[in-house]
Amino acid sequence: MGSTAYRSYVLALLMVIFAFNFLDRSVVTILAPYLKADLGVSDAQIGLLYGTAFALFYAVFGLPLAKLADGWSRVKTISLGLGFWSVMTALSGMAGNFAQLGAARIGVGVGEASASPASYSLLQDYFPKRMRATVLALYSSGIYIGSGASTMFGSQVIKYWEAHYTSATAPFGLKGWQATYLVFGLPGIALALLALLTVREPVRGEIDGLPTPGDPHPFRSVMREFAAMLPPWNLLRFARAAPDKRPLITNFVLMVGLMIAAVIVVHFTDGLLNPTKRPVVATIGGIPFTTNMIQWIAIAIGIYCSASWVQTIKLRDAPAYSLIANRGFVAITLVGGLMSFISYGAAPFVFLYAKTQFGVGPEFGVKLGLVTAAAGGFGAAFGGILGDWFKRFHPAGRLFVPLIAVLISAFTLYLTYHAATVDAFLALAGLNMFFHIMWLGPCGASIQDLVLPRMRGTATAVFLLGTTVIGLGLGPYIVGLVSDVTHDLRAAILSTIVVVPIIVMCIVIAIQSFPRLEATLIARARNAGEPV
């Protein structure tokens, strides 16, 4: 749709929006030392702020918002979401304690859940199939552009604030980290208006010869998605839809099992920490909630809602379920989740580690930000280009890229956190980011190749469940928890490498399954009842 120049503009604008997505979520990286000093938070709580408080609502709201992307205007979905998360980022700067900051982070997660499913779907209708790994990789480079910019500009805001204000003279008594949130949040509102006014909504699926109409009742469908995740509505649906009651029993067993597992994990992890590292964050109904309780209850809720939602797809959209519930799709999703576990696990602690290990100040944030943006951006783009090139020679060629990425980046991660000087640390960190992020474009394009156009938002949401629940929900918190227990942040970050063998195994399964799944896509959809 449109000229090459206009399509390039749309891609560039969506990439910038995605960069703002990570600018606002990643600012915790540069603010971590200041949050620890001003709010007295632990490393595990830094992980909770960066990961779980954000990830739970990002995952839960991402599923209904993906349905909105499949049936309503994707441009409006993106613009409204961007405006909302920008406001919540600005409100983070008004927080006076950990609980208030955590609540604002929840709002950021809700808003940001709108971006990727709608953007992935939109880009599929602007660019032909042969270019999609490259396009998605360029879009995904916004991860490191945004992450780098958050570190670079965040450090400058803090440096300026410390140089010009004291606690007595600062406007409204704001501290440097609070001012950073305000400065980061407000520009996103203008960007949301720009997207709404300049991006045209293409015909869904037309570029693939499968034009698909929108949903005549998109918001009603969104409410059905929420009902698919949450009791008692999902339980009532299972009870009515399946005479043999097996889905109902399965869902109930899952609920009880997750509750028991959460209690066990909370008890175990609380036992590892001394009392000063497990403070009460909030009291609800007279019940005191520690950081560990919030973390593992949130993870249990996220897993339950996600599993319930996937379970109901089988009842209400059998063709979509048949194309998603297979070894290849699941393996690619797990690859994304576990690769994100490694990168998200380290992300909130990079600046904190450099400050502790090498004594750097805010000025180091500029160097770290530039390296992050350049290395991650070029790595994502190179991975997509390489994936599209491999695709010419093998149906599953794109999936060879994440195999290369995980093997090389595991080695470079180890070298990074054994660097003897700050310059070596910075150079190796950039090298690690370049290789690690190469997986994203090829995996994102591969899952799109396994579904029909009308299912792209849903498929993206399922794929992002892995990166969100496994990667963002577990990675930062587990690294922070291990650091609090061992008092060794380096060992905590490097402990994420233990998942590398599982990633390799999943990639091998995906490579073996992909050619058959792609070749039989239309036939399998028809067999499941899709009118194509």
Side-chain angles (χ1 to χ4, degrees):
M1 177 181 177
S3 66
T4 300
Y6 179 74
R7 288 186 295 149
S8 299
Y9 164 76
V10 172
L11 172 59
L13 183 60
L14 291 178
M15 184 181 71
V16 171
I17 291 173
F18 199 40
F20 265 75
N21 190 301
F22 275 80
L23 178 86
D24 293 340
R25 79 166 71 171
S26 302
V27 68
V28 173
T29 298
I30 191 67
L31 299 183
Y34 308 97
L35 295 175
K36 292 187 71 169
D38 288 342
L39 300 182
V41 299
S42 66
D43 285 351
Q45 288 177 316
I46 291 293
L48 190 69
L49 283 174
Y50 188 96
T52 315
F54 175 93
L56 169 64
F57 289 86
Y58 186 90
V60 171
F61 278 80
L63 301 175
L65 290 175
K67 189 66 175 179
L68 191 63
D70 278 343
W72 192 53
S73 167
R74 292 160 289 186
V75 175
K76 291 179 181 177
T77 300
I78 294 166
S79 300
L80 291 173
L82 171 57
F84 181 76
W85 91 61
S86 298
V87 169
M88 296 307 297
T89 299
L91 288 176
S92 299
M94 309 306 293
N97 55 51
F98 176 81
Q100 292 173 0
L101 186 55
R105 289 288 290 177
I106 288 171
V108 175
V110 171
E112 291 193 6
S114 66
S116 284
S119 295
Y120 269 53
S121 178
L122 200 60
L123 290 170
Q124 307 309 302
D125 288 322
Y126 268 105
F127 293 91
K129 187 174 182 178
R130 59 184 172 79
M131 299 176 63
R132 284 177 185 161
T134 300
V135 167
L136 290 180
L138 290 170
Y139 167 76
S140 300
S141 67
I143 292 174
Y144 281 99
I145 294 172
S147 299
S150 74
T151 306
M152 184 167 54
F153 294 118
S155 66
Q156 290 304 292
V157 174
I158 290 173
K159 185 178 179 180
Y160 177 87
W161 210 260
E162 290 180 344
H164 290 80
Y165 301 110
T166 65
S167 57
T169 62
F172 307 105
L174 295 175
K175 298 183 183 298
W177 64 267
Q178 293 175 306
T180 304
Y181 274 120
L182 288 168
V183 170
F184 277 25
L186 297 178
I189 299 171
L191 186 63
L193 290 173
L194 179 65
L196 186 63
L197 295 173
T198 62
V199 177
R200 297 192 296 269
E201 182 77 21
V203 176
R204 201 181 308 270
E206 185 176 54
I207 198 170
D208 294 316
L210 294 169
T212 306
D215 188 339
H217 305 289
F219 293 97
R220 188 183 302 171
S221 297
V222 168
M223 297 309 298
R224 282 199 294 265
E225 297 300 305
F226 277 113
M229 294 186 288
L230 302 172
W233 301 281
N234 60 342
L235 298 176
L236 291 173
R237 173 175 288 185
F238 292 137
R240 288 195 300 262
D244 62 6
K245 301 297 184 286
R246 277 183 293 183
L248 176 63
I249 294 171
T250 300
N251 189 270
F252 185 76
V253 170
L254 174 67
M255 183 193 304
V256 174
L258 286 170
M259 291 171 59
I260 294 172
V263 170
I264 293 172
V265 175
V266 168
H267 180 74
F268 174 74
T269 51
D270 267 351
L272 294 175
L273 295 166
N274 64 58
T276 62
K277 293 295 185 180
R278 42 185 168 93
V280 174
V281 175
T283 300
I284 302 174
I287 301 174
F289 283 80
T290 65
T291 305
N292 265 329
M293 291 174 68
I294 293 173
Q295 161 68 19
W296 300 114
I297 290 172
I299 290 296
I301 292 172
I303 293 173
Y304 173 77
C305 290
S306 302
S308 292
W309 180 78
V310 172
Q311 194 180 3
T312 60
I313 292 178
K314 187 174 183 179
L315 300 178
R316 54 200 168 91
D317 193 347
Y321 185 83
S322 70
L323 299 183
I324 291 171
N326 56 69
R327 281 164 50 93
F329 193 102
V330 171
I332 296 171
T333 300
L334 288 175
V335 170
L338 294 172
M339 288 294 280
S340 298
F341 175 86
I342 297 173
S343 56
Y344 281 137
F349 303 104
V350 176
F351 180 75
L352 180 62
Y353 176 84
K355 186 175 178 66
T356 304
Q357 189 75 11
F358 304 110
V360 301
E363 68 283 351
F364 180 73
V366 177
K367 296 179 181 179
L368 181 61
L370 286 171
V371 168
T372 299
F378 283 118
F382 179 73
I385 294 168
L386 187 63
D388 280 341
W389 185 74
F390 281 160
K391 178 75 170 176
R392 299 178 187 177
F393 306 103
H394 191 280
R398 287 175 179 149
L399 296 173
F400 288 99
V401 176
L403 184 61
I404 296 169
V406 67
L407 295 175
I408 296 179
S409 64
F411 179 64
T412 55
L413 182 67
Y414 179 86
L415 293 179
T416 299
Y417 288 91
H418 282 85
T421 67
V422 67
D423 289 337
F425 172 79
L426 192 61
L428 287 167
L431 192 65
N432 176 256
M433 292 173 195
F434 177 88
F435 284 110
H436 185 90
I437 196 59
M438 284 169 51
W439 70 270
L440 188 50
C443 285
S446 295
I447 62 111
Q448 298 291 324
D449 287 343
L450 295 181
V451 298
L452 297 175
R454 74 167 182 84
M455 306 167 186
R456 285 173 179 157
T458 300
T460 301
V462 174
F463 175 66
L464 292 177
L465 280 176
T467 63
T468 304
V469 176
I470 299 173
L472 195 55
L474 294 178
Y477 189 80
I478 287 179
V479 169
L481 180 65
V482 173
S483 177
D484 284 340
V485 172
T486 64
H487 308 291
D488 188 342
L489 184 56
R490 171 195 288 166
I493 292 171
L494 292 178
S495 69
T496 59
I497 298 176
V498 300
V499 302
V500 168
I502 304 174
I503 295 172
V504 172
M505 180 180 68
C506 288
I507 294 172
V508 171
I509 291 172
I511 290 173
Q512 291 174 339
S513 306
F514 190 89
R516 179 187 59 81
L517 292 173
E518 185 179 37
T520 61
L521 171 62
I522 299 297
R524 288 184 295 115
R526 283 175 179 157
N527 289 340
E530 185 73 9
V532 292

